[in-house]
Amino acid sequence: MLPGDGIGPEVSAEALKVVEAAADTFGFSYETETYDFGGDRYLATGEILPDSAIEEFRDYHAIYLGAIGHPDVAPGVLEKGILLKVRFDLDQYINLRPIKLYPGVPCPLVGKGPEHIDFVVVRENTEGIYTGAGGFQYKGTPQEVSTQIHVTTRFGAERAVRYAFDLTQRRNRMKQLHLVAKTNVLTFVHDTWWRAFNEVGEADYPDIKREYAHVDAACMWFVKNPEWFDVVVTDNQLGDIITDLGAVIQGGMGLAASGNLNPDGVSMFEPIHGSAPRYTGQGKINPLAAIAAAGMMLDQLGETVAAEAVESAITNVLGSGKIKDLGAGRMGYTTSEVGDLIATEVKSIGK
Ligand code: IPM
Ligand code: MN
């Protein structure tokens, strides 16, 4: 457990509460270890996330992260030093982000319901513009030059694309995979993606329909026709951006979960929202994204029945209309009470 900053610890506690309910109900056991890396520890000790901790992380079956980000720490320090470091060092090359509108959740798109919004974004998670390649020259002078280099490797694009094709196969829904990129401008890096996508698809997934959308158009289609999407594969930065748009069409950041996956190693699960520092410790934040991320973790750990129960519990509780508003402080329940609702529902599903 890396509960992290701000509201991270509160929502992580609810995620763990639901895992515990699932373990009791479905008969598996687990152990957790908690690490306090985050803004407060950094401010107190100067330590961000040492390599020795990464070495320890390699021995776990999964990592669960609450949220990272502290108002008194400069942007980038914790994000790069903790979140991106874990993703990169543990080679979590897939960032899996389901975009699903649950029943009973108000959707900002007129005329769209749960039958229209159910797709998954596969975001490449170790390359692109996130690698940190680049730098400054003549910083602070009128001649200042800054570069931030987008790094795509054929290997990285291809493994993301393959994962996405496999997922499309497993979902067995529309059998359709979209590549989202900007091939009309990023004629090098996205050409590599384009060829990887088409060559892999043609050779190994002839039954999966390949679609392409430029990222700007994809933003429009996410709003106008979200039902066109089944699985989307994209690079790191575009995936970051379009999944916030995805979160809002599924009812808000409070519902969007993600998994940073290394299919052959240790994966890390987290809600995609931030640390919301101004709500810290108030019990006002909806923990459902965090709980859904715990569900994804159970799935990855092979506890598929328990994972499905968590997913159904979220669906049932939201569908019941008990929680009228998911906004901070407007739920009519505290963070912990929402955790209780889901935990109770998991137990009753398992009966
Ligand atoms: C996310 C976040 C991170 C990202 C930040 C905090 C580095 O926005 O997980 O989407 O850009 O990947
Ligand atoms: Mn993001």
Side-chain angles (χ1 to χ4, degrees):
M1 301 292 298
L2 288 170
D5 300 318
I7 51 112
E10 284 161 63
V11 297
S12 301
E14 300 317 305
L16 203 52
K17 181 190 282 175
V18 171
V19 169
E20 196 178 325
D24 286 350
T25 310
F26 297 99
F28 62 89
S29 60
Y30 66 95
E31 284 170 44
T32 61
E33 196 69 57
T34 301
Y35 293 80
D36 67 351
F37 297 112
D40 289 328
R41 171 149 173 177
Y42 171 64
L43 291 170
T45 69
E47 185 168 61
I48 305 178
L49 176 64
D51 289 335
S52 59
I54 294 281
E55 290 315 309
E56 291 178 31
F57 292 175
R58 291 185 199 280
D59 292 334
Y60 293 99
H61 292 109
I63 301 168
Y64 185 90
L65 179 129
I68 290 294
H70 194 292
D72 301 334
V73 180
V77 173
L78 302 170
E79 292 85 344
K80 284 183 157 179
I82 299 179
L83 191 56
L84 299 187
K85 184 175 169 65
V86 175
R87 288 176 182 172
F88 285 27
D89 286 3
L90 298 182
D91 201 24
Q92 295 166 342
Y93 61 89
I94 297 297
N95 196 324
L96 193 64
R97 299 188 158 191
I99 314 286
K100 180 175 170 178
L101 178 63
Y102 290 98
V105 174
C107 175
L109 306 182
V110 175
K112 301 295 179 189
E115 68 277 24
H116 300 109
I117 301 175
D118 184 3
F119 61 97
V120 182
V121 177
V122 175
R123 166 185 175 188
E124 198 291 321
N125 210 32
T126 54
E127 298 194 344
I129 213 151
Y130 274 66
T131 58
F136 290 109
Q137 243 179 326
Y138 318 122
K139 189 176 177 184
T141 75
Q143 288 74 34
E144 175 164 336
V145 180
S146 54
T147 53
Q148 194 104 33
I149 298 166
H150 179 129
V151 179
T152 281
T153 67
R154 169 70 191 218
F155 173 78
E158 185 164 328
R159 65 181 178 172
V161 154
R162 279 192 189 280
Y163 182 91
F165 275 115
D166 283 334
L167 177 65
T168 312
Q169 197 87 273
R170 282 202 303 280
R171 268 169 70 85
N172 197 20
R173 204 167 153 265
M174 295 159 71
K175 292 247 180 188
Q176 173 190 279
L177 177 62
H178 269 84
L179 172 65
V180 166
K182 189 78 183 175
T183 54
N184 52 348
V185 176
L186 304 189
T187 51
F188 311 133
V189 289
H190 285 171
D191 189 60
T192 297
W193 273 90
W194 172 257
R195 281 176 289 112
F197 177 66
N198 285 301
E199 289 165 15
V200 166
E202 197 173 315
D204 297 335
Y205 303 90
D207 54 327
I208 305 288
K209 194 158 164 253
R210 296 194 298 279
E211 294 282 0
Y212 173 80
H214 289 318
V215 63
D216 45 355
C219 289
M220 175 180 64
W221 301 130
F222 273 21
V223 170
K224 207 168 167 291
N225 293 99
E227 67 278 7
W228 287 355
F229 296 94
D230 177 7
V231 179
V232 172
V233 64
T234 192
D235 80 19
N236 205 340
Q237 185 187 31
L238 301 187
D240 176 45
I241 297 168
I242 67 175
T243 53
D244 269 28
L245 179 55
V248 97
I249 68 170
Q250 71 176 121
M253 297 299 280
L255 289 168
S258 73
N260 301 273
L261 309 182
N262 176 342
D264 310 306
V266 186
S267 301
M268 172 168 70
F269 298 84
E270 50 166 335
I272 86 171
H273 62 64
S275 58
R278 69 195 162 116
Y279 293 113
T280 305
Q282 298 173 21
K284 287 183 177 171
I285 288 287
N286 151 30
L288 292 172
I291 293 170
M296 294 176 73
M297 177 175 73
L298 292 176
D299 189 53
Q300 174 82 10
L301 289 170
E303 296 296 338
T304 45
V305 177
E308 276 162 28
V310 171
E311 181 70 13
S312 304
I314 296 172
T315 307
N316 296 350
V317 167
L318 286 170
S320 75
K322 272 185 202 134
I323 307 174
K324 299 270 180 271
D325 187 330
L326 295 168
R330 298 198 300 268
M331 296 186 292
Y333 295 90
T334 63
T335 304
S336 167
E337 286 167 347
V338 175
D340 291 341
L341 289 175
I342 304 292
T344 306
E345 186 63 19
V346 165
K347 287 183 182 159
S348 85
I349 289 169
K351 264 197 210 120

